[in-house]
Amino acid sequence: MSERKVLTKYFPPDFDPSKIQRTRGPKNAGPKVQTVRLMAPFSMKCTACGEYIYKGRKFNARKETTDEKYLAISIFRFYIRCTRCSAEITFKTDPRRMDYECERGAKRNFEVWRSDGNSSKVETDEERLDRLEAEEAEVDAMGQLETKMVDAKREMQIADALDEIRTRNARNERVVKEGEVEVVREGKSEEELERERVEREDEEAVRIAFGRVVRVAVEKEGEGQAQEKAIKKKKNEVEGLGEVIETVLEEAIELPAEEEVAVVKKKASSAPSRAESDAAEMPPPPTFKRGTKRKKDFGAALGIKKKPALV
């Protein structure tokens, strides 16, 4: 192993470099072939021995450039050998399907595009459109199911509304005879009747409560009027007393002194009775005198006994 790393080579004594001739062979006119390392692009089964070759197994393959092209894309062919019987297996690229196509020596286990067993069939535009529509229909299956459920729900609601309308019309057409008067029943459901009954009860309760409030207000207003009448009465009495005093003074000017004193005594005798009645009715005036606050005996609450004074 160490000889491959030396810098000097051994040349025998009889070596003559002029005897070595350079020869040029003919160029390969066929397709260009090169050796590459690749992995099996799909799982396959050898047709010679039945060996299964799984996807991703590595091979030393020969790569050949063919004259075929698809939309200016070159197509390559690969040659490998079976791992068991060494039979040659050939496959090439397929740009149209973005996959590989097995040619000979093996059979592909699964082909994605194969539906009728004919892998060489070319899909037309109409077939492609049909296939895309079918795929969209499969994807939108849940959407169709939801749409059907919504339609069914709408139909049920419409049917319920029609039944309710028919029932209401039947009730409106029904006539009940009460004595000689014909009364047409209104098509109202039990819920509507119950709601109307509750509204009537609420209105009655509001009317009763409002009547109480009005009655209380009227009573308060009557009390206020009575107080106003009493105040007016007292004012009239005071005014009457003032008129009496004025007339007495006027007469005193005209009458002599003795008669004046007698008249004043006579008229004043009746006035005190009114003044006394007013004084009895009027409350005493309020006093604003500050009083001393008596201190609380906290000693008795705490159980402390006061000693009697010695003096």
Side-chain angles (χ1 to χ4, degrees):
M1 294 297 291
S2 61
E3 290 116 3
R4 63 185 181 85
K5 295 181 180 180
V6 298
L7 298 176
T8 60
K9 301 296 183 182
Y10 173 73
F11 296 99
D14 57 350
F15 176 71
D16 187 4
S18 61
K19 293 180 180 180
I20 300 174
Q21 297 179 359
R22 298 179 65 181
T23 58
R24 293 181 179 179
K27 293 182 178 180
N28 295 328
K32 184 180 179 180
V33 178
Q34 60 181 354
T35 303
V36 294
R37 183 78 171 173
L38 58 78
M39 291 187 293
F42 50 83
S43 60
M44 64 189 83
K45 178 182 178 183
C46 180
T47 55
C49 63
E51 177 72 9
Y52 285 95
I53 300 172
Y54 58 85
K55 180 181 179 180
R57 187 157 186 175
K58 293 182 179 180
F59 291 94
N60 292 326
R62 290 183 294 117
K63 177 183 175 183
E64 176 182 316
T65 304
T66 62
D67 298 332
E68 301 176 8
K69 287 188 178 182
Y70 175 77
L71 300 177
I73 300 173
S74 300
I75 295 175
F76 302 98
R77 184 178 286 109
F78 299 93
Y79 299 90
I80 61 174
R81 291 191 175 274
C82 178
T83 56
R84 184 177 180 184
C85 64
S86 300
E88 190 177 51
I89 300 172
T90 307
F91 58 89
K92 65 179 180 179
T93 58
D94 190 0
R96 185 171 64 84
R97 298 191 183 96
M98 293 182 293
D99 204 350
Y100 293 85
E101 181 180 353
C102 187
E103 289 185 326
R104 60 184 177 85
K107 183 179 179 182
R108 190 166 179 175
N109 295 335
F110 176 71
E111 292 180 353
V112 180
W113 65 86
R114 184 173 61 185
S115 58
D116 56 352
N118 186 9
S119 61
S120 61
K121 182 179 178 181
V122 179
E123 188 178 20
T124 61
D125 295 339
E126 294 180 358
E127 293 176 351
R128 187 180 294 106
L129 291 173
D130 295 340
R131 178 173 57 79
L132 293 174
E133 289 177 359
E135 291 177 358
E136 290 178 358
E138 290 178 359
V139 172
D140 201 25
M142 293 301 295
Q144 292 178 359
L145 181 60
E146 292 177 358
T147 305
K148 289 181 181 178
M149 290 177 65
V150 171
D151 294 341
K153 190 175 181 180
R154 188 184 298 110
E155 290 178 358
M156 291 175 64
Q157 292 176 355
I158 292 170
D160 294 340
L162 289 173
D163 293 339
E164 186 177 356
I165 291 170
R166 290 169 183 166
T167 305
R168 189 182 299 122
N169 293 337
R171 287 178 181 176
N172 291 335
E173 292 175 358
R174 191 179 303 160
V175 177
V176 178
K177 292 184 178 180
E178 295 181 358
E180 297 180 354
V181 181
E182 294 182 354
V183 179
V184 180
R185 291 184 179 180
E186 297 181 356
K188 296 182 180 180
S189 61
E190 296 180 358
E191 296 180 357
E192 294 178 353
L193 295 174
E194 182 69 18
R195 185 167 60 253
E196 291 180 358
R197 185 182 63 78
V198 172
E199 290 178 357
R200 286 196 300 272
E201 292 178 356
D202 294 343
E203 291 177 358
E204 185 68 20
V206 170
R207 187 178 60 78
I208 293 170
F210 186 72
R212 290 178 182 174
V213 172
V214 171
R215 186 165 58 254
V216 170
V218 170
E219 291 176 358
K220 288 184 178 180
E221 186 176 357
E223 292 177 358
Q225 292 178 357
Q227 291 178 359
E228 289 180 358
K229 288 180 180 179
I231 291 169
K232 288 181 179 179
K233 185 177 180 181
K234 290 179 181 180
K235 286 183 178 180
N236 294 331
E237 291 176 357
V238 172
E239 290 176 356
L241 181 62
E243 291 177 356
V244 169
I245 293 169
E246 289 179 357
T247 53
V248 168
L249 292 174
E250 290 176 357
E251 292 176 358
I253 294 171
E254 297 176 357
L255 295 175
E258 296 179 357
E259 294 179 0
E260 180 181 352
V261 171
V263 171
V264 169
K265 287 182 179 179
K266 183 178 179 180
K267 292 186 176 181
S269 61
S270 60
S273 61
R274 295 178 181 177
E276 289 176 0
S277 62
D278 294 341
E281 291 179 359
M282 294 295 290
T287 59
F288 299 97
K289 186 179 180 181
R290 181 180 294 178
T292 59
K293 187 177 180 181
R294 187 177 181 183
K295 295 183 179 180
K296 294 183 179 180
D297 188 8
F298 295 103
L302 297 173
I304 301 171
K305 295 181 180 180
K306 289 185 178 182
K307 293 182 181 181
L310 298 176
V311 179

